[in-house]
């Protein structure tokens, strides 16, 4: 296995009776990358990550972490790996400090390392204030930060995150994202794979994308390449009154516009071209006198995602 | 991976310690302690309340208490071992523990050891209480107490193994606990009753665990007197049917039940997926 790819999945397959959840999947996660693992519900993301974390067994294929096949030697493969799978629960009778100590003892850290790591990590996930309170009393957001904290014990070089912000309220999501962002910015030798349905979160955090559907790999590449694969940008034009056919056709007639359609009370426009083209589009829309008061560029990843998923059906 | 290394044992020890801490800090433990205290207090006080005494010889004193030990062990297995594995899945704590670099066998060993240690300590404390009462009331302690304790520990292992089996295959802790309790208290007795028509069911776990009390001669004597006075048995029948048990066979039966159920629950656990 390549030393540049701490995670390497080869022809991985998981069958539940006649249903194929993961269909001979191949995936390579580059060293020091923060990879968003995307796909619609039922695409096989969680199944893949559960095989990687030894929560379920593969039907066939290999899944290497740091060169060790987790399907053959899970204990060795998961050494040096931190995981947050779905929304884990903690032993409610333990405090964050005791939880991290327990995890540290399981992975064989010395008492001194556990003590110093615990303080460092609790500060990192902003839980120092609650370090001696029973986890049973914590909110979901706080628990999820503890979940990330336990994944960071002993400085892992690989972290596997399965929908780490799922089920959190907006504040919890924002707090978790901030912690993940700091983690990305502060770490030199860290490879992260993170499944998520929240595309703007993936855009914000990840530098690479792996997209799967029906258990098969659709595309894996740098986020900048996937987001701009055909140079098309999605623009949303907000107008004073709900757009009629005439308004839509006026927009459609502008230069570099690929498509224009009604999107609620707004107009959803696909524009092909660089930043200069988009400036021109803004000016052209303003000059149309259709009551436009806002033109915003939508997340490219979402556009690319929807297009790729549609093509893969 | 079938091989087991020193680090695997160390991890089992960490899991066992956590398991004991989990139970001690939980409501089930408080409930169990209260139940033991109630049984002990009532057994000690009621004879005096009704103008009698707990016994004049150490054997008599012990005989008053040991008949409850079976039930206390079944309760312990129901409250602790029956939920130890299933709760990891039901409460989603498995997502933390099972994704660490640790073999499932280490987790299994840690959990069963934690349960058995805790249950054994509780039963041993009950026996320590009997010894203290025996010393105060009868001026000594019968050697039969240690024999009874040894058999009680064997039954603790067997009952915990059976509880762990249900815990390994069930989806809910409550179902596992009910099944454990009903199986140990009712189902095995029904099966033993059916078997006894054609042969001696000494190998059944309920029959074997009966020796925890019947290994005390004074307990046997008390039972004979009760059966005769209630008219259920004649003195001759009582002498034949309520005889001193074969402790070796009973021990072998309990060890076999413990070993078989633990192997089955281990196999079920290591194959279980989240």
């Amino acid at each position: 296995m390549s030393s540049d790819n701490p995670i390497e999945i080869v022809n991985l397959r998981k069958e539940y009776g006649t249903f194929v959840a993961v269909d001979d999947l191949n995936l390579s996660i580059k060293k020091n990358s923060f990879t968003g693992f995307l796909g619609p519900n039922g695409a096989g993301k969680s199944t893949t990550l559960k095989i990687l974390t030894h929560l379920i067994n593969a039907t066939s294929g290999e899944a290497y972490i740091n060169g060790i096949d987790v399907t053959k030697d899970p204990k060795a493969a998961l050494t040096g790996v931190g995981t947050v799978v779905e929304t884990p629960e903690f032993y409610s009778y333990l405090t964050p400090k005791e939880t991290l100590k327990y995890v540290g003892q399981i992975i064989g850290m010395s008492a001194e390392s556990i003590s110093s790591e615990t303080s460092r990590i609790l500060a990192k996930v902003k839980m120092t204030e609650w370090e001696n309170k029973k986890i049973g009393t914590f909110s979901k957001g706080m628990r999820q930060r503890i979940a990330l904290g336990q994944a960071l014990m002993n400085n892992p070089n690989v972290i596997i995150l399965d929908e780490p912000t799922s089920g959190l309220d907006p504040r919890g999501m924002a707090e978790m994202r901030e912690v993940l962002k700091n983690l990305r910015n502060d770490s030199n030798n860290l490879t992260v794979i993170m499944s998520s349905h929240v595309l703007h979160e993936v855009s914000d955090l990840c530098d690479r994308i792996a997209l799967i559907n029906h258990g098969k790999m659709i595309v894996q590449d740098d986020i900048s390449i996937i987001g701009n694969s055909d140079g098309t940008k999605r623009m949303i034009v907000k107008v004073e009154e709900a757009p009629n056919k005439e308004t839509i056709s006026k927009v459609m007639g502008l230069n570099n516009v690929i498509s224009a359609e009604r999107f609620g009370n707004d107009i959803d426009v696909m524009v092909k071209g660089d930043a200069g083209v988009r400036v021109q589009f803004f000016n052209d829309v303003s000059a149309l006198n259709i009551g436009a008061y806002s033109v915003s560029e939508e997340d490219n990843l979402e556009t690319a995602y929807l297009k790729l998923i549609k093509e893969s059906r | 991976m079938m091989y087991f290394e020193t680090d695997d044992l160390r991890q089992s020890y960490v899991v066992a310690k956590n398991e004991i801490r989990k139970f001690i800090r939980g409501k089930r433990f408080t409930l169990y302690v209260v139940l033991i205290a109630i049984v002990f207090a009532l057994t000690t006080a009621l004879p005096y309340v009704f103008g009698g005494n707990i016994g004049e010889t150490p054997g008599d004193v012990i005989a008053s208490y040991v008949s409850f030990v079976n039930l206390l062990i079944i309760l312990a297995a129901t409250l602790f071992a029956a939920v130890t594995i299933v709760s990891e899945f039901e409460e989603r704590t498995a997502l933390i523990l099972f994704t660490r670099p640790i073999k499932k066998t280490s987790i299994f060993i840690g959990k069963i050891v934690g349960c058995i240690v805790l249950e054994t300590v509780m039963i041993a404390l009950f026996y320590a209480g009997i010894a203290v009462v025996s010393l105060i009331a009868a001026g000594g302690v019968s050697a039969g107490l240690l024999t009874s304790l040894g058999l009680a520990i064997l039954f603790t292992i067997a009952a915990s193994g059976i509880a762990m089996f249900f815990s390994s295959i069930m989806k809910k802790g409550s179902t596992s606990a009910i099944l454990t309790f009903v199986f140990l208290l009712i189902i095995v007795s029904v099966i033993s009753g059916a078997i006894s028509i054609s042969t001696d069911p000494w190998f059944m776990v309920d029959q074997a665990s009966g020796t925890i009390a019947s290994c005390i001669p004074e307990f046997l004597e008390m039972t004979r007197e009760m059966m005769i006075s209630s008219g259920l048995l004649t003195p001759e029948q009582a002498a034949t049917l309520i005889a001193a048990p074969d402790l070796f066979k009973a021990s072998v039966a309990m060890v076999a039940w413990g070993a078989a159920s633990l192997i089955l629950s281990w196999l079920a656990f290591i194959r279980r997926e989240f």
Side-chain angles (χ1 to χ4, degrees):
Chain A
M1 291 299 109
S2 164
S3 60
D4 286 340
N5 299 328
I7 296 177
E8 191 97 52
I9 288 173
V10 184
N11 295 330
L12 193 70
R13 192 173 183 82
K14 178 66 180 177
E15 296 169 2
Y16 293 101
T18 54
F19 175 70
V20 181
V22 179
D23 192 358
D24 296 328
L25 183 74
N26 289 287
L27 168 69
S28 301
I29 303 295
K30 277 190 178 173
K31 196 173 181 180
N32 298 336
S33 70
F34 207 121
T35 302
F37 192 37
L38 304 178
N41 285 332
K45 304 184 300 293
S46 285
T47 307
T48 304
L49 295 186
K50 281 183 179 173
I51 292 170
L52 268 178
T53 51
H54 192 50
L55 284 165
I56 56 177
N57 301 315
T59 305
S60 61
E62 290 138 33
Y64 295 90
I65 305 178
N66 294 322
I68 302 165
D69 189 352
V70 77
T71 66
K72 296 202 168 57
D73 191 352
K75 182 175 175 180
L78 289 169
T79 302
V81 178
T83 63
V84 180
V85 181
E86 296 174 355
T87 315
E89 284 299 329
F90 293 90
Y91 302 104
S92 55
Y93 55 89
L94 294 182
T95 64
K97 217 172 172 178
E98 288 170 333
T99 299
L100 297 191
K101 185 179 176 188
Y102 179 48
V103 170
Q105 285 175 334
I106 290 279
I107 59 182
M109 291 169 69
S110 68
E112 298 79 43
S113 309
I114 289 172
S115 179
S116 60
E117 276 285 275
T118 299
S119 306
R120 182 184 70 82
I121 287 168
L122 286 174
K124 199 163 204 159
V125 298
K126 300 175 179 169
M127 288 300 293
T128 308
E129 199 181 326
W130 293 277
E131 65 179 13
N132 290 317
K133 298 263 192 307
K134 294 269 195 304
I135 293 180
T137 61
F138 288 1
S139 70
K140 210 168 181 181
M142 290 161 87
R143 287 181 201 202
Q144 202 65 342
R145 276 186 278 151
I146 297 294
L148 184 61
Q150 62 81 31
L152 298 176
M153 284 296 275
N154 214 18
N155 276 320
N157 70 335
V158 171
I159 293 184
I160 298 168
L161 305 170
D162 185 12
E163 299 190 33
T165 59
S166 165
L168 301 183
D169 61 21
R171 186 180 158 196
M173 286 172 92
E175 285 171 349
M176 188 71 175
R177 246 195 322 271
E178 194 188 335
V179 172
L180 288 171
K181 229 182 230 177
N182 291 340
L183 181 69
R184 184 195 60 190
N185 297 338
D186 299 347
S187 306
N188 297 320
N189 178 26
L190 181 65
T191 306
V192 178
I193 177 169
M194 178 184 85
S195 79
S196 178
H197 283 298
V198 188
L199 295 179
H200 72 87
E201 178 178 280
V202 173
S203 296
D204 206 16
L205 290 168
C206 301
D207 48 25
R208 283 182 66 81
I209 295 291
L211 176 65
I212 67 168
N213 198 11
H214 304 302
K216 281 182 179 295
M217 179 55 64
I218 305 299
V219 66
Q220 50 179 325
D221 214 327
D222 285 354
I223 196 163
S224 53
I225 294 172
I226 289 176
N228 291 300
S229 54
D230 61 356
T232 307
K233 291 277 180 186
R234 184 181 177 209
M235 315 291 284
I236 298 293
V237 180
K238 287 188 177 293
V239 285
E240 279 175 342
E241 288 177 17
N244 53 27
K245 277 186 183 173
E246 194 189 343
T247 310
I248 299 286
S249 70
K250 276 184 181 172
V251 175
M252 189 63 204
L254 295 175
N255 285 338
N256 303 307
V257 170
I258 307 294
S259 68
E261 53 191 55
R262 187 171 163 171
F263 182 66
N265 283 335
D266 307 327
I267 308 169
D268 186 345
V269 189
M270 298 301 289
V271 179
K272 194 175 179 78
D274 57 14
V277 167
R278 293 195 292 279
V279 169
Q280 183 61 50
F281 173 74
F282 177 77
N283 292 333
D284 291 348
V285 166
S286 304
L288 277 179
N289 287 325
I290 56 172
Y293 61 89
S294 156
V295 177
S296 58
E297 186 180 313
E298 286 300 286
D299 190 347
N300 264 15
L301 183 60
E302 185 178 78
T303 312
Y305 172 91
L306 292 171
K307 186 172 164 239
L308 288 164
I309 291 297
K310 199 173 172 185
E311 286 170 2
S312 72
R313 277 182 190 147
Chain B
M1 299 292 143
M2 291 298 289
Y3 59 87
F4 213 64
E5 295 164 345
T6 319
D7 187 58
D8 300 326
L9 271 181
R10 183 195 60 74
Q11 289 180 316
S12 293
Y13 170 69
V14 175
V15 173
K17 258 195 338 185
N18 186 61
E19 206 62 15
I20 292 169
R21 177 168 55 179
K22 172 175 91 180
F23 287 130
I24 287 177
R25 291 188 185 180
K27 287 176 186 160
R28 287 193 185 94
F29 182 75
T30 312
L31 174 70
Y32 189 61
V33 169
V34 168
L35 281 172
I36 287 190
I38 289 172
V39 168
F40 196 85
L42 287 178
T43 311
T44 311
L46 283 182
Y48 294 100
V49 170
F50 292 105
N53 62 43
I54 190 77
E56 284 164 7
T57 67
D60 289 340
V61 174
I62 294 161
S64 304
Y65 292 92
V66 287
S67 55
F68 300 109
V69 173
N70 269 25
L71 185 60
L72 292 177
I73 291 171
I74 291 171
L75 275 173
T78 303
L79 290 170
F80 306 125
V83 294
T84 186
I85 288 174
V86 67
S87 66
E88 291 282 352
F89 293 89
E90 195 178 7
E91 292 164 18
R92 302 172 68 81
T93 46
L95 292 172
I96 298 291
L97 179 61
F98 295 14
T99 58
R100 310 310 314 188
I102 180 170
K103 288 175 185 165
K104 275 189 161 179
T105 303
S106 299
I107 297 172
F108 183 83
I109 290 172
K111 283 185 171 285
I112 187 64
V113 167
C115 287
I116 288 174
V117 165
L118 182 75
E119 291 165 17
T120 302
V121 167
M122 296 309 294
I123 293 300
L125 285 173
F126 186 76
Y127 274 86
I130 300 173
V132 170
V133 173
S134 179
L135 270 172
I136 296 166
V141 178
S142 158
L145 190 70
L146 272 183
T147 310
S148 178
L149 174 61
L151 292 163
I153 292 170
L154 289 183
F155 183 48
T156 300
I157 295 168
S160 300
I162 291 164
M164 287 281 278
F165 175 68
F166 288 125
S167 194
S168 298
I169 59 170
M170 287 295 135
K171 284 188 175 171
K172 287 193 170 291
S174 52
T175 318
S176 172
I178 291 167
L179 272 175
T180 300
F181 192 73
V182 170
F183 183 83
L184 286 170
L185 205 66
I186 302 169
I187 295 174
V188 281
S189 302
V190 171
I191 297 170
S192 292
I195 293 171
S196 67
I197 296 168
S198 54
T199 186
D200 176 14
W202 63 269
F203 47 86
M204 291 298 289
V205 72
D206 63 316
Q207 301 295 305
S209 67
T211 58
I212 293 170
S214 63
C215 73
I216 309 287
E218 289 80 358
F219 176 83
L220 283 179
E221 197 48 48
M222 270 170 55
T223 313
R224 280 190 203 108
E225 282 169 14
M226 270 173 55
M227 295 305 235
I228 294 164
S229 63
S230 60
L232 287 169
L233 294 176
T234 64
E236 293 74 29
Q237 285 173 322
T240 316
L241 293 173
I242 307 172
D246 185 333
L247 300 184
F248 178 72
K249 274 164 86 173
S251 304
V252 168
M254 287 192 283
V255 168
W257 272 89
S261 55
L262 283 173
I263 289 169
L264 284 175
S265 50
W266 172 70
L267 288 171
F269 175 63
I270 59 169
R271 280 165 176 72
R272 189 167 179 170
E273 296 187 340
F274 191 86

